[in-house]
Amino acid sequence: MKMNAIRSRRRLHPWPVRIMHWTNAVAMVVLIGSGWGIYDDSVIIHGVYFPKAIRLGSWAAESLLWHFAAMWLLVANGGAYLVYGVATGRLRERLLPIHPSDIVQTVRDTLRLKLAHEDLTTYNAVQKILYIVAILAGISQVVSGLAIWKPVQFSGLVALLGGFQGARLVHFAGMAVLAGFLAIHVVLALLVPRTLWAMLTGGPVHQPALPAVAREAAR
């Protein structure tokens, strides 16, 4: 029993999670920056442009090269992250459950600037929602991106998204969600530097909570 307990103890962020986290971060930054370059070549929302200083690629074709390179990296790495999270139970452990009362309390604490986040092993309700939204936005980016990339081959998907321009609009909205997520993520990491350090070093060693059935069996 003691040996099992020792084996179940692990770093908050095991090395595969840290590698995939930083790889995702780089890929997302490249995708967003190059996406802005592609967008400016054929805008969706009239009057909305992105400054050249924050775009990746001096013109649309160069931005597309960056975009495709980062796209495959994100798809492969993001897929590995989801498989790892489901297989190890990490996603369920970190992101569920979410109680409405916890959301209200977290929002109240945030408005009062109570961001100490003493227990790094537990996400608050708002953090859980943000991560779930980011995962769903990432999936929508892959789906809408396929529709934009191969509109003839994926004509059914294009039609489902409301046509080619509809697919572009979905892709643009997903980009806005992910860019907002990154901005909030960076701000929170700067406000609570221990979370950033934990993602670099692995963080504290902890023993994940066992499900109720497992706790009963262990007694």
Side-chain angles (χ1 to χ4, degrees), residues 78-99:
Y81 179 82
L82 289 177
V83 170
Y84 179 90
V86 172
T88 62
R90 180 181 175 85
L91 288 178
R92 176 187 53 77
E93 173 194 331
R94 302 288 285 167
L95 302 181
L96 297 174
I98 301 175
H99 302 292

Side-chain angles (χ1 to χ4, degrees), residues 81-218:
Y81 179 82
L82 289 177
V83 170
Y84 179 90
V86 172
T88 62
R90 180 181 175 85
L91 288 178
R92 176 187 53 77
E93 173 194 331
R94 302 288 285 167
L95 302 181
L96 297 174
I98 301 175
H99 302 292
S101 58
D102 293 336
I103 297 174
V104 173
Q105 186 59 50
T106 302
V107 171
R108 286 176 178 173
D109 291 342
T110 302
L111 292 176
R112 295 170 184 169
L113 299 180
K114 293 182 179 180
L115 298 172
H117 198 31
E118 297 296 337
D119 186 5
L120 295 182
T121 64
T122 303
Y123 287 152
N124 60 45
V126 173
Q127 285 177 303
K128 292 178 181 180
I129 291 175
L130 285 174
Y131 276 105
I132 291 173
V133 168
I135 291 172
L136 293 177
I139 294 173
S140 78
Q141 289 301 83
V142 173
V143 173
S144 58
L146 285 173
I148 297 169
W149 180 36
K150 299 287 185 179
V152 176
Q153 291 86 341
F154 294 100
S155 57
L157 184 57
V158 173
L160 185 63
L161 295 174
F164 185 77
Q165 283 300 99
R168 288 191 69 206
L169 188 59
V170 170
H171 205 64
F172 182 84
M175 177 279 298
V177 170
L178 289 175
F181 169 79
L182 280 177
I184 294 172
H185 196 58
V186 170
V187 169
L188 291 177
L190 294 176
L191 290 174
V192 190
R194 294 187 305 118
T195 59
L196 177 60
W197 186 246
M199 188 53 75
L200 291 170
T201 64
V205 175
H206 80 298
Q207 183 170 351
L210 293 173
V213 175
R215 287 199 299 269
E216 290 296 327

